[in-house]
Amino acid sequence: MSKLWGGRFTKKTDQLVEEYTASIMFDKELAEEDIEGSLAHVTMLGKQGILPAEDVETIKAGLQRVLERVKAGDIEFTIGDEDIHMNIEKALIDDVGSVGGKLHTGRSRNDQVATDMHLWLRKRVVEFVDMLYKLQSALIEQAKANADTILPGYTHLQRAQPILFAHHMMAYVSMFGRDIERLQDSYKRINVLPLGAGALAGTTFPIDRHFVASQLKFDRVYENSLDAVSDRDFILEFLSHASIIMMHLSRLSEELIMWSSTEFNFVELDDAFCTGSSIMPQKKNPDVPELVRGKTGRVYGNLMGLLTVLKSLPLAYNKDMQEDKEGMFDTVKTMQGALQLFAPMVATMKVNKDRMRQAVNQDFSNATDIADFLVGKGMPFRQAHEVIGKTVLYCIQQNKYLLDLTLDEFKQFSELFDDRIYDVLQPEQVVNARNVYGGTAKPQVLEAIARAESAAEATAAWVIEYTERSN
Ligand code: ARG
């Protein structure tokens, strides 16, 4: 059978052109959404009296059969039919005969493809919120199991002040919480219907766009037909949110890789998430976080790719826009892989509490606290800073830590020191002294965990509600 658009042509398409311009190899991913959109469209054509009821019934029954075949994987898509829209239409016409040709009344592939993308992406966004929720839950569990585990906190990757391991885990919970909010917010702009924009200007048929929107559970319709077919902001937004999520995952990856090294030895990843070396029998490599860190690059690349495709594109549809798909599919697949592995990897990670404690005992991360002690005795902070700097230098020269010094040694640096300094310097005391909202003191961290748990409950409820709305 000839091309669906073959009328104006006198020659066959060059074979290489056909291969070069086709998108069916990747947009077959949109098959179910394409049929979903067509079912709503043809229902509306019937309601508006644009097509007779019996044609509508025939087309709907045909589309249902095509959908079953798509699900069963028993349709052979062909490059000759270029893209998913024409492959499905062809399959419909093969099934119901020429009446199938009425489906495309009042519609263009330009508003059709945009509709498919909106339908497809809104489902993925809900799935990603769910995956982030699961990762947050794993982090919260680790936090609860480590509400007394103290490790050195770092700035400049130098030991700075001791913190609870729970507090460190909860920092990531906050980061992924923002990711969840961003995805939830983007849903508003994804859940808008382009169909009815036609090729670019609208259509001469008396269609009802709002009816189609409600059939497809869209909250709104695009206000402007040119914008409806030209807009790919919703994909860019998703790709940029995905880039930030991957950046967060790669920061956590980096810490897990570092913490798994012999030098740190703070955590041990479960064997199930590591691989060995083909030459060095002793190796256990943290491949999963390494690859997540590495794959962050391609996710950024997909964002840059689409930004560049859209840069300077005139309104409305241009074939360039077909390039919006592979990067989006690749980002979705890459991030699904990363998030699927991360939640169980974090959940099964062994936290080496003793080793963390040893690290805390062998550092100067309690130095700020003796400075604060002197401030409490009336010394200006700047001067206290200088005094403690000298005390630390003395310790380094003597190969001692602050807790090893005698009171006489302390008093060489300031007469204000007294016995209580030994309590002030205890890691628990140092941690619990930071008892401000959002700080690392245990009561604050327990409250942060409680707040995060109720936010997570709200997220879980959102996922249930929006899964329903998106399917
Ligand atoms: N395969 C095309 C795409 O993905 C569908 C829209 C084609 N529209 C057109 N006028 N050629 O962008």
Side-chain angles (χ1 to χ4, degrees):
M1 192 174 158
S2 64
K3 303 255 183 239
L4 289 176
W5 43 252
R8 188 225 175 280
F9 289 76
T10 53
K11 255 187 168 180
K12 269 186 70 179
T13 318
D14 181 281
Q15 177 62 29
L16 286 177
V17 170
E18 200 161 273
E19 284 168 24
Y20 190 71
T21 55
S23 54
I24 187 63
M25 306 76 83
F26 45 87
D27 67 13
K28 58 180 185 233
E29 175 71 35
L30 301 169
E32 292 184 24
E33 286 73 18
D34 196 72
I35 296 172
E36 214 180 315
S38 289
L39 283 166
H41 177 69
V42 75
T43 304
M44 180 276 291
L45 292 178
K47 177 185 94 71
Q48 297 298 97
I50 299 168
L51 290 190
E54 60 191 273
D55 289 353
V56 171
E57 287 321 307
T58 306
I59 291 171
K60 280 169 87 170
L63 283 170
Q64 290 293 356
R65 284 189 293 272
V66 175
L67 179 61
E68 290 318 311
R69 286 176 57 206
V70 164
K71 286 185 176 161
D74 115 55
I75 286 200
E76 216 185 297
F77 296 124
T78 67
I79 281 188
D81 290 324
E82 194 178 322
D83 58 23
I84 189 60
H85 324 295
M86 291 198 291
N87 269 274
I88 297 284
E89 194 177 325
K90 193 65 120 358
L92 173 71
I93 293 170
D94 287 347
D95 185 291
V96 300
S98 62
V99 63
K102 297 188 178 186
L103 169 64
H104 210 52
T105 310
R107 184 177 79 171
S108 155
R109 273 186 296 156
N110 297 350
D111 55 351
Q112 187 179 358
V113 68
T115 302
D116 293 2
M117 300 285 272
H118 281 266
L119 286 170
W120 189 86
L121 194 57
R122 73 179 182 184
K123 293 179 199 161
R124 304 293 89 79
V125 161
V126 177
E127 288 163 6
F128 280 124
V129 169
D130 189 42
M131 293 175 115
L132 288 165
Y133 157 78
K134 289 187 173 119
L135 175 54
Q136 278 190 322
S137 304
L139 290 161
I140 291 172
E141 285 314 306
Q142 282 289 5
K144 286 165 117 175
N146 287 286
D148 293 302
T149 307
I150 300 177
L151 80 163
Y154 294 79
T155 64
H156 310 263
L157 210 50
Q158 304 288 324
R159 290 181 186 178
Q161 290 171 350
I163 54 172
L164 292 182
F165 187 71
H167 195 50
H168 202 116
M169 292 294 99
M170 294 309 291
Y172 282 101
V173 172
S174 290
M175 291 152 76
F176 294 121
R178 288 194 295 275
D179 292 327
I180 287 171
E181 281 177 22
R182 270 188 282 272
L183 289 176
Q184 289 173 330
D185 185 64
S186 74
Y187 193 93
K188 287 189 259 183
R189 287 168 296 282
I190 300 176
N191 208 30
V192 186
L193 175 76
L195 206 66
L200 75 165
T203 170
T204 55
F205 294 95
I207 60 168
D208 182 349
R209 298 184 65 205
H210 294 93
F211 175 78
V212 177
S214 76
Q215 290 276 297
L216 293 173
K217 303 183 188 172
F218 281 109
D219 298 322
R220 293 178 287 150
V221 303
Y222 272 86
E223 292 293 317
N224 179 294
S225 63
L226 283 176
D227 182 42
V229 290
S230 306
D231 177 34
R232 296 294 183 271
D233 296 359
F234 66 105
I235 301 175
L236 282 176
E237 218 179 302
F238 170 73
L239 294 178
S240 91
H241 297 342
S243 295
I244 297 175
I245 293 168
M246 290 301 292
M247 178 271 287
H248 287 161
L249 286 174
S250 83
R251 292 181 80 165
L252 181 52
S253 293
E254 175 65 15
E255 300 209 288
L256 295 180
I257 293 162
M258 224 164 45
W259 288 345
S260 311
S261 66
T262 309
E263 285 70 14
F264 273 87
N265 192 18
F266 283 179
V267 301
E268 187 179 350
L269 299 178
D270 195 82
D271 278 4
F273 296 93
C274 295
T275 62
S277 156
S278 58
I279 170 171
M280 296 164 284
Q282 83 284 10
K283 292 293 290 290
K284 176 174 162 183
N285 296 328
D287 283 31
V288 171
E290 287 175 279
L291 258 182
V292 168
R293 188 177 58 182
K295 283 177 186 287
T296 300
R298 65 199 285 162
V299 171
Y300 292 1
N302 292 333
L303 170 63
M304 286 315 297
L306 186 58
L307 279 170
T308 312
V309 165
L310 293 169
K311 178 186 176 296
S312 315
L313 263 197
L315 303 184
Y317 179 83
N318 300 272
K319 187 73 169 181
D320 315 44
M321 290 164 75
Q322 183 166 288
E323 285 291 303
D324 61 359
K325 290 175 195 62
E326 286 160 290
M328 180 182 79
F329 293 148
D330 181 72
T331 287
V332 164
K333 197 164 150 247
T334 303
M335 202 158 74
Q336 280 170 342
L339 286 168
Q340 255 157 21
L341 289 172
F342 244 79
M345 185 175 70
V346 166
T348 55
M349 168 178 84
K350 208 178 123 268
V351 177
N352 201 342
K353 302 182 189 193
D354 295 341
R355 170 64 197 131
M356 288 182 184
R357 182 57 186 226
Q358 194 190 350
V360 166
N361 288 339
Q362 293 174 354
D363 73 14
F364 294 97
S365 62
N366 44 8
T368 314
D369 292 69
I370 29 171
D372 290 351
F373 175 85
L374 295 178
V375 170
K377 297 257 174 172
M379 189 183 282
F381 180 77
R382 254 325 125 219
Q383 194 186 333
H385 188 286
E386 171 80 15
V387 168
I388 306 307
K390 292 213 160 75
T391 315
V392 168
L393 182 62
Y394 171 83
C395 284
I396 292 169
Q397 285 159 351
Q398 299 286 312
N399 206 11
K400 288 176 173 179
Y401 295 100
L402 288 164
L403 270 169
D404 301 330
L405 298 184
T406 62
L407 190 54
D408 284 341
E409 283 174 301
F410 272 119
K411 281 187 183 289
Q412 288 171 28
F413 297 96
S414 168
E415 273 305 317
L416 294 175
F417 282 120
D418 64 44
D419 264 358
R420 276 177 300 155
I421 195 67
Y422 295 103
D423 289 336
V424 167
L425 284 174
Q426 292 304 324
E428 279 74 16
Q429 174 55 33
V430 174
V431 164
N432 286 321
R434 273 131 187 106
N435 197 12
V436 295
Y437 190 98
T440 194
K442 186 174 175 185
Q444 296 294 342
V445 172
L446 293 180
E447 278 178 33
I449 291 173
R451 288 195 299 271
E453 283 185 312
S454 72
E457 258 176 52
T459 303
W462 186 94
V463 169
I464 291 169
E465 186 188 337
Y466 279 76
T467 302
E468 169 65 26
R469 287 195 193 193
S470 309
N471 284 286

